[in-house]
Amino acid sequence: MKKLFLFSLLILCSTFAFSQSKMACCKQSSTQKFAMLASNKAFIMSHAKPRPLHFQSSIGENITYKTPDGGSATAYELKAKKPTNNYLFVTHEWWGLNDYVKRESEKMYNDIGNVNVIDIDLYEGHVATTPEEAGKLMQGVKDDRAQAIIKGLIALVGPKARIATIGWCFGGGWSLQTTLLAGIQAAGCVMYYGVPEQDVNRLRTLHADVLGNFGNKDKWITPKVVAKFDVDMKTAGKKLYLHQYDADHAFANPSSPNSNNAAAADAYKNSLAFLKMRLK
């Protein structure tokens, strides 16, 4: 009887452990949840093909660096005119690191002042020209590899670097994740209609303020999602500067039919002031 009881207890414990393990492995991160939207036909069709643009910079250049997973990654860099430890990490939206992102990065580079701007490439050289391609690329980004790309860049700029971040859509969520990974080196985070981190305990580890630009007509990062983010940041004891506009998702993308010039201009003005204050 005693052996039977012990055997039953062993089976019960094993079943519980398996159940807990299964729950842990199936729990999705915030970035994974956003990537799953690429399976939603309505989400895909809400992103029209970007208008063609050719932008050629005279100062931007591609760089290659090592990543902690034993690989390497590439990025696009605009070096400050004078040596400085101030950096702005830019993360592309779901189209990839295209000429729109590079042009916007150079605009911020000029408007902020003496700052190093580096565009992170989480698609590793791939750029989408159709919504279907973008969806596949976004879903193909794995958290472990994306974090290795970001950690490698943080290591490249060194421990004295002060790192601010900015990103849109897919990159908006990764802007916040990059700030979390930057730890005490974080100087500030700007996210445009990106998915917020939903783990309050992770938000508690933030070392910088966050500015969020969101559209009230956004069917994906809805006002309800934004309201929860606001509450979560307060619960975590962190500062969120929240700006919400009567606009749709991708309102700041000039290549999108959802673009809203007035909202984009105001969001840029606020974002620029926020970044300049933290990258003095």
Side-chain angles (χ1 to χ4, degrees):
M1 190 70 180
K2 184 177 180 180
K3 288 183 179 179
L4 180 61
F5 172 76
L6 291 173
F7 179 74
S8 299
L9 183 62
L10 178 62
I11 293 294
L12 180 63
C13 291
S14 299
T15 302
F16 177 76
F18 175 77
S19 175
Q20 292 295 100
S21 174
K22 186 176 181 181
M23 286 175 62
C25 76
C26 295
K27 186 177 180 181
Q28 290 182 316
S29 67
S30 298
T31 49
Q32 288 172 333
K33 287 179 181 178
F34 188 78
M36 288 302 295
L37 287 175
S39 300
N40 186 312
K41 187 175 181 180
F43 180 81
I44 292 175
M45 298 311 294
S46 70
H47 294 74
K49 291 175 64 173
R51 301 183 186 98
L53 172 72
H54 176 69
F55 174 73
Q56 183 64 51
S57 172
S58 61
I59 55 176
E61 61 179 7
N62 294 319
I63 60 172
T64 301
Y65 59 94
K66 294 180 180 180
T67 54
D69 58 0
S72 63
T74 59
Y76 179 77
E77 181 180 39
L78 299 160
K79 284 187 178 180
K81 296 178 178 67
K82 299 177 182 178
T84 177
N85 287 321
N86 289 336
Y87 286 82
L88 176 64
F89 286 4
V90 180
T91 309
H92 56 80
E93 54 185 6
W94 86 321
W95 299 111
L97 181 48
N98 59 19
D99 282 355
Y100 279 102
V101 177
K102 292 177 181 178
R103 185 179 70 175
E104 189 69 10
S105 295
E106 191 154 329
K107 177 176 171 56
M108 290 186 289
Y109 171 86
N110 289 322
D111 289 347
I112 292 172
N114 200 55
V115 64
N116 300 289
V117 176
I118 303 181
D119 292 352
I120 299 170
D121 187 359
L122 295 182
Y123 286 178
E124 305 199 61
H126 299 286
V127 176
T129 57
T130 68
E132 292 77 14
E133 290 174 349
K136 289 178 182 178
L137 287 171
M138 188 169 75
Q139 286 194 322
V141 175
K142 306 303 180 187
D143 279 2
D144 288 349
R145 175 57 183 163
Q147 290 173 11
I149 290 171
I150 294 164
K151 288 177 181 178
L153 190 55
I154 293 171
L156 178 71
V157 300
K160 294 182 180 179
R162 298 176 66 251
I163 301 168
T165 69
I166 189 171
W168 308 265
C169 183
F170 162 83
W174 277 105
S175 174
L176 181 57
Q177 295 302 319
T178 301
T179 297
L180 286 163
L181 291 172
I184 60 173
Q185 292 181 250
C189 169
V190 176
M191 53 189 301
Y192 279 78
Y193 34 83
V195 62
E197 173 58 52
Q198 298 176 22
D199 185 340
V200 175
N201 287 328
R202 286 207 74 214
L203 291 175
R204 287 192 174 100
T205 68
L206 276 170
H207 286 268
D209 297 337
V210 177
L211 184 148
N213 297 307
F214 299 96
N216 288 330
K217 295 180 181 178
D218 195 324
K219 301 177 186 63
W220 322 109
I221 312 301
T222 64
K224 183 177 180 180
V225 171
V226 176
K228 182 181 182 302
F229 182 38
D230 191 22
V231 171
D232 287 347
M233 285 288 283
K234 287 183 173 68
T235 302
K238 305 301 175 180
K239 181 64 178 178
L240 172 64
Y241 297 88
L242 189 57
H243 298 277
Q244 294 173 274
Y245 300 93
D246 186 28
D248 211 329
H249 189 79
F251 69 80
N253 183 346
S255 75
S256 169
N258 292 333
S259 62
N260 183 312
N261 292 339
D266 190 71
Y268 183 80
K269 178 191 70 175
N270 293 324
S271 299
L272 184 63
F274 177 87
L275 290 170
K276 288 179 75 171
M277 180 68 69
R278 288 158 178 79
L279 292 172
K280 288 182 177 179

